[in-house]
Protein backbone atom coordinates (compact mmCIF):
# COMPACT_ATOMS: atom_id res chain seq x y z
CA UNK A 1 0.00 0.00 0.00
CA UNK A 2 1.08 3.57 -0.68
CA UNK A 3 1.41 6.36 1.90
CA UNK A 4 -1.80 7.82 0.44
CA UNK A 5 -3.63 4.55 1.19
CA UNK A 6 -2.78 4.85 4.89
CA UNK A 7 -3.67 8.55 4.96
CA UNK A 8 -6.99 7.97 3.21
CA UNK A 9 -7.77 5.25 5.73
CA UNK A 10 -7.03 1.61 6.46
CA UNK A 11 -8.36 -0.92 8.96
CA UNK A 12 -5.46 -3.07 10.16
CA UNK A 13 -6.18 -6.36 11.92
CA UNK A 14 -3.38 -6.98 14.39
CA UNK A 15 -2.73 -10.06 16.55
CA UNK A 16 -1.37 -8.51 19.75
CA UNK A 17 1.06 -10.71 21.69
CA UNK A 18 0.99 -11.24 25.43
CA UNK A 19 2.71 -8.56 27.56
CA UNK A 20 2.36 -5.87 24.88
CA UNK A 21 0.06 -2.98 25.75
CA UNK A 22 -2.35 -1.77 23.08
CA UNK A 23 -0.52 1.57 23.17
CA UNK A 24 2.81 -0.16 22.45
CA UNK A 25 1.29 -2.05 19.53
CA UNK A 26 -0.13 1.12 17.94
CA UNK A 27 3.17 2.93 18.45
CA UNK A 28 5.04 0.08 16.75
CA UNK A 29 2.80 0.40 13.68
CA UNK A 30 3.00 4.19 13.72
CA UNK A 31 6.78 4.34 13.77
CA UNK A 32 7.03 1.62 11.11
CA UNK A 33 4.80 3.65 8.79
CA UNK A 34 6.60 6.91 9.56
CA UNK A 35 10.05 5.44 9.03
CA UNK A 36 9.38 3.23 5.99
CA UNK A 37 6.78 5.28 4.12
CA UNK A 38 7.83 8.74 5.32
CA UNK A 39 4.34 9.54 6.57
CA UNK A 40 4.00 12.80 8.55
CA UNK A 41 4.71 12.33 12.25
CA UNK A 42 1.26 13.61 13.17
CA UNK A 43 -0.72 11.31 10.90
CA UNK A 44 -3.75 9.81 12.61
CA UNK A 45 -3.70 6.25 13.94
CA UNK A 46 -5.54 4.60 16.83
CA UNK A 47 -7.01 1.34 18.06
CA UNK A 48 -10.68 0.39 18.36
CA UNK A 49 -10.73 -1.09 21.85
CA UNK A 50 -7.97 -1.68 24.41
CA UNK A 51 -6.63 -5.17 25.00
CA UNK A 52 -4.86 -5.71 28.35
CA UNK A 53 -1.16 -6.67 28.35
CA UNK A 54 -2.12 -10.06 29.86
CA UNK A 55 -4.45 -10.75 26.93
CA UNK A 56 -3.57 -11.62 23.35
CA UNK A 57 -5.51 -11.48 20.13
CA UNK A 58 -7.40 -9.11 17.89
CA UNK A 59 -6.54 -5.42 18.04
CA UNK A 60 -8.15 -3.32 15.31
CA UNK A 61 -6.05 -0.33 14.29
CA UNK A 62 -7.46 2.46 12.12
CA UNK A 63 -5.32 4.91 10.16
CA UNK A 64 -5.92 8.29 8.53
CA UNK A 65 -9.52 9.16 7.77
CA UNK A 66 -10.70 5.77 9.06
CA UNK A 67 -9.95 6.85 12.65
CA UNK A 68 -13.44 8.36 12.43
CA UNK A 69 -14.76 4.77 12.41
CA UNK A 70 -13.18 3.82 15.75
CA UNK A 71 -16.33 4.55 17.79
CA UNK A 72 -18.46 2.52 15.37
CA UNK A 73 -16.10 -0.48 15.53
CA UNK A 74 -15.75 -0.27 19.33
CA UNK A 75 -19.52 -0.57 19.75
CA UNK A 76 -19.66 -3.99 18.09
CA UNK A 77 -19.89 -7.30 19.96
CA UNK A 78 -16.63 -8.98 20.93
CA UNK A 79 -15.70 -12.65 21.22
CA UNK A 80 -13.14 -13.96 23.69
CA UNK A 81 -11.73 -17.34 24.67
CA UNK A 82 -9.82 -18.06 27.84
CA UNK A 83 -9.46 -19.89 31.13
CA UNK A 84 -10.89 -19.42 34.61
CA UNK A 85 -9.00 -20.84 37.59
CA UNK A 86 -11.55 -21.94 40.17
CA UNK A 87 -10.86 -21.93 43.91
CA UNK A 88 -8.79 -18.76 44.28
CA UNK A 89 -9.17 -15.01 43.78
CA UNK A 90 -6.76 -12.14 43.16
CA UNK A 91 -7.34 -8.39 43.75
CA UNK A 92 -7.05 -7.71 39.99
CA UNK A 93 -9.24 -10.72 39.08
CA UNK A 94 -6.39 -12.01 36.88
CA UNK A 95 -2.64 -12.81 37.08
CA UNK A 96 -1.53 -9.19 37.48
CA UNK A 97 -1.67 -9.61 41.26
CA UNK A 98 -1.03 -12.50 43.66
CA UNK A 99 -3.71 -14.82 45.05
CA UNK A 100 -5.36 -13.22 48.09
CA UNK A 101 -7.91 -15.90 49.07
CA UNK A 102 -8.53 -19.61 48.59
CA UNK A 103 -11.96 -21.28 48.38
CA UNK A 104 -13.31 -24.85 48.43
CA UNK A 105 -14.16 -26.58 45.15
CA UNK A 106 -15.16 -30.08 46.35
CA UNK A 107 -18.87 -29.19 46.30
CA UNK A 108 -18.86 -28.07 42.65
CA UNK A 109 -20.93 -30.32 40.39
CA UNK A 110 -21.71 -30.30 36.69
CA UNK A 111 -25.22 -29.10 37.57
CA UNK A 112 -23.90 -26.17 39.62
CA UNK A 113 -21.52 -25.18 36.81
CA UNK A 114 -24.34 -25.21 34.26
CA UNK A 115 -26.65 -23.24 36.57
CA UNK A 116 -23.89 -20.64 37.03
CA UNK A 117 -23.24 -20.44 33.29
CA UNK A 118 -26.91 -19.83 32.48
CA UNK A 119 -27.15 -17.08 35.10
CA UNK A 120 -24.72 -14.95 33.09
CA UNK A 121 -26.43 -15.21 29.70
CA UNK A 122 -28.33 -12.05 28.74
CA UNK A 123 -28.21 -8.61 30.38
CA UNK A 124 -26.29 -8.64 33.65
CA UNK A 125 -25.07 -6.17 36.27
CA UNK A 126 -21.28 -6.12 36.41
CA UNK A 127 -18.84 -4.25 38.61
CA UNK A 128 -15.60 -3.31 36.77
CA UNK A 129 -12.36 -4.50 38.39
CA UNK A 130 -10.65 -2.07 40.73
CA UNK A 131 -7.53 -2.67 38.61
CA UNK A 132 -8.97 -1.03 35.47
CA UNK A 133 -8.47 2.17 33.48
CA UNK A 134 -11.87 3.67 34.33
CA UNK A 135 -11.53 7.14 35.85
CA UNK A 136 -12.83 7.97 39.31
CA UNK A 137 -12.22 11.38 40.88
CA UNK A 138 -9.79 12.27 38.10
CA UNK A 139 -7.60 9.17 38.54
CA UNK A 140 -7.61 5.73 36.93
CA UNK A 141 -9.04 3.03 39.18
CA UNK A 142 -5.77 1.09 39.04
CA UNK A 143 -3.96 4.18 40.38
CA UNK A 144 -6.31 4.24 43.39
CA UNK A 145 -5.82 0.48 43.83
CA UNK A 146 -2.02 0.62 43.70
CA UNK A 147 -2.07 3.46 46.23
CA UNK A 148 -4.17 1.30 48.56
CA UNK A 149 -7.14 3.68 48.35
CA UNK A 150 -10.68 2.38 48.77
CA UNK A 151 -13.05 3.52 46.02
CA UNK A 152 -16.74 2.86 45.44
CA UNK A 153 -17.32 1.35 42.00
CA UNK A 154 -20.80 1.41 40.48
CA UNK A 155 -22.28 -1.60 38.72
CA UNK A 156 -22.88 -1.37 34.99
CA UNK A 157 -25.33 -3.06 32.65
CA UNK A 158 -23.68 -5.32 30.10
CA UNK A 159 -24.87 -8.13 27.85
CA UNK A 160 -23.49 -11.63 27.43
CA UNK A 161 -24.80 -12.86 24.08
CA UNK A 162 -23.14 -16.30 24.23
CA UNK A 163 -21.33 -18.09 27.06
CA UNK A 164 -19.94 -21.53 26.29
CA UNK A 165 -17.76 -23.68 28.54
CA UNK A 166 -15.41 -25.56 26.22
CA UNK A 167 -13.39 -27.55 28.77
CA UNK A 168 -14.09 -28.38 32.40
CA UNK A 169 -11.11 -29.84 34.26
CA UNK A 170 -11.23 -28.32 37.72
CA UNK A 171 -9.62 -26.16 38.89
CA UNK A 172 -9.63 -24.95 35.26
CA UNK A 173 -12.59 -24.09 33.07
CA UNK A 174 -12.08 -22.91 29.49
CA UNK A 175 -14.72 -20.68 27.92
CA UNK A 176 -15.86 -18.81 24.84
CA UNK A 177 -17.93 -15.67 25.35
CA UNK A 178 -19.57 -13.15 23.02
CA UNK A 179 -20.38 -9.91 24.81
CA UNK A 180 -21.29 -6.26 24.39
CA UNK A 181 -18.94 -3.29 24.57
CA UNK A 182 -17.68 -2.54 28.06
CA UNK A 183 -17.80 -6.11 29.39
CA UNK A 184 -14.91 -7.06 31.67
CA UNK A 185 -14.01 -10.73 31.32
CA UNK A 186 -11.97 -10.47 34.53
CA UNK A 187 -15.14 -9.45 36.37
CA UNK A 188 -17.00 -12.32 34.70
CA UNK A 189 -14.35 -14.69 36.08
CA UNK A 190 -14.71 -13.28 39.60
CA UNK A 191 -18.53 -13.35 39.50
CA UNK A 192 -18.58 -16.84 37.98
CA UNK A 193 -16.48 -18.09 40.89
CA UNK A 194 -18.90 -16.50 43.35
CA UNK A 195 -21.83 -18.16 41.54
CA UNK A 196 -20.08 -21.49 42.13
CA UNK A 197 -19.99 -20.65 45.87
CA UNK A 198 -16.23 -20.50 45.50
CA UNK A 199 -13.81 -18.04 43.92
CA UNK A 200 -12.14 -17.63 40.54
CA UNK A 201 -9.73 -15.53 38.56
CA UNK A 202 -8.76 -15.22 34.92
CA UNK A 203 -5.54 -16.98 33.86
CA UNK A 204 -5.73 -16.71 30.05
CA UNK A 205 -7.60 -14.44 27.64
CA UNK A 206 -7.62 -14.07 23.87
CA UNK A 207 -9.85 -11.75 21.84
CA UNK A 208 -10.91 -13.60 18.71
CA UNK A 209 -13.50 -11.33 17.10
CA UNK A 210 -14.84 -7.78 17.03
CA UNK A 211 -18.05 -7.71 15.01
CA UNK A 212 -17.26 -9.48 11.73
CA UNK A 213 -13.51 -8.95 12.09
CA UNK A 214 -11.61 -12.10 13.11
CA UNK A 215 -8.14 -12.70 14.53
CA UNK A 216 -7.80 -15.45 11.91
CA UNK A 217 -7.26 -12.67 9.37
CA UNK A 218 -4.89 -10.67 11.58
CA UNK A 219 -1.13 -10.27 11.34
CA UNK A 220 1.26 -10.37 14.28
CA UNK A 221 2.35 -6.87 15.25
CA UNK A 222 5.96 -8.07 15.05
CA UNK A 223 5.45 -9.13 11.40
CA UNK A 224 3.78 -5.91 10.25
CA UNK A 225 7.06 -4.22 9.33
CA UNK A 226 7.78 -6.93 6.74
CA UNK A 227 4.53 -6.11 4.92
CA UNK A 228 5.36 -2.44 4.44
CA UNK A 229 7.44 -1.57 1.36
CA UNK A 230 9.40 1.68 1.34
CA UNK A 231 8.03 4.41 -0.88
CA UNK A 232 9.28 4.00 -4.44
CA UNK A 233 11.39 6.82 -5.84
Amino acid sequence: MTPEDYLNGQILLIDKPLKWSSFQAVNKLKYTLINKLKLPKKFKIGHAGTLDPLASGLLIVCTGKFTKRITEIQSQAKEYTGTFHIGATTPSYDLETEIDAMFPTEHITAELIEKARLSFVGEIDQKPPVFSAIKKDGKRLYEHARAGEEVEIAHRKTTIHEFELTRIALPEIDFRVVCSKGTYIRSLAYDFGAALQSGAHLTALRRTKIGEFSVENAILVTDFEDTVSPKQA
Side-chain angles (χ1 to χ4, degrees):
M1 282 184 282
T2 66
E4 290 72 26
D5 289 330
Y6 287 103
L7 291 171
N8 287 332
Q10 295 295 321
I11 293 177
L12 308 175
L13 306 186
I14 301 300
D15 189 346
K16 186 192 79 67
L18 280 173
K19 299 185 179 178
W20 281 58
S21 71
S22 298
F23 179 77
Q24 285 174 313
V26 170
N27 264 359
K28 171 71 172 174
L29 303 189
K30 181 177 182 179
Y31 288 116
T32 294
L33 293 171
I34 288 172
N35 293 329
K36 296 193 77 172
L37 297 185
K38 308 306 179 189
L39 289 176
K41 291 185 178 179
K42 291 187 177 181
F43 93 98
K44 292 181 178 180
I45 185 169
H47 65 74
T50 301
L51 199 55
D52 289 342
L54 291 179
S56 68
L58 183 61
L59 185 72
I60 296 181
V61 178
C62 298
T63 74
K65 295 176 182 177
F66 278 17
T67 53
K68 293 178 181 177
R69 296 185 59 185
I70 284 176
T71 301
E72 165 210 335
I73 294 170
Q74 279 181 324
S75 67
Q76 298 182 41
K78 298 171 178 65
E79 179 186 80
Y80 297 90
T81 60
T83 303
F84 300 144
H85 183 98
I86 311 299
T89 57
T90 71
S92 60
Y93 301 170
D94 64 5
L95 294 176
E96 184 182 343
T97 53
E98 298 293 324
I99 289 171
D100 62 352
M102 301 290 291
F103 298 85
T105 58
E106 297 80 7
H107 65 282
I108 297 175
T109 62
E111 291 76 19
L112 181 57
I113 291 172
E114 178 62 7
K115 181 181 178 183
R117 183 191 71 83
L118 289 172
S119 71
F120 289 100
V121 178
E123 187 178 75
I124 62 171
D125 284 316
Q126 187 181 75
K127 182 182 286 189
V130 67
F131 281 79
S132 66
I134 296 169
K135 281 194 172 181
K136 173 84 172 180
D137 301 329
K139 288 168 63 176
R140 304 285 185 186
L141 285 182
Y142 62 75
E143 293 176 312
H144 288 289
R146 288 169 184 162
E149 299 166 357
E150 293 277 338
V151 289
E152 197 64 38
I153 306 172
H155 281 79
R156 297 176 165 195
K157 295 284 185 187
T158 189
T159 302
I160 306 295
H161 302 292
E162 299 176 38
F163 186 22
E164 177 187 5
L165 304 181
T166 55
R167 181 180 69 99
I168 300 173
L170 292 176
E172 292 186 339
I173 294 179
D174 291 350
F175 65 87
R176 182 186 69 86
V177 65
V178 179
C179 55
S180 63
K181 174 190 175 184
T183 303
Y184 282 90
I185 308 301
R186 286 180 287 153
S187 292
L188 180 62
Y190 181 87
D191 294 341
F192 187 74
L196 293 176
Q197 299 151 37
S198 182
H201 62 283
L202 188 67
T203 56
L205 185 65
R206 182 165 174 78
R207 185 158 66 196
T208 47
K209 288 183 181 178
I210 299 176
E212 296 302 312
F213 299 104
S214 172
V215 73
E216 291 178 0
N217 301 316
I219 183 171
L220 282 169
V221 66
T222 47
D223 292 341
F224 177 74
E225 189 172 359
D226 296 333
T227 72
V228 180
S229 298
K231 184 178 180 182
Q232 297 297 315

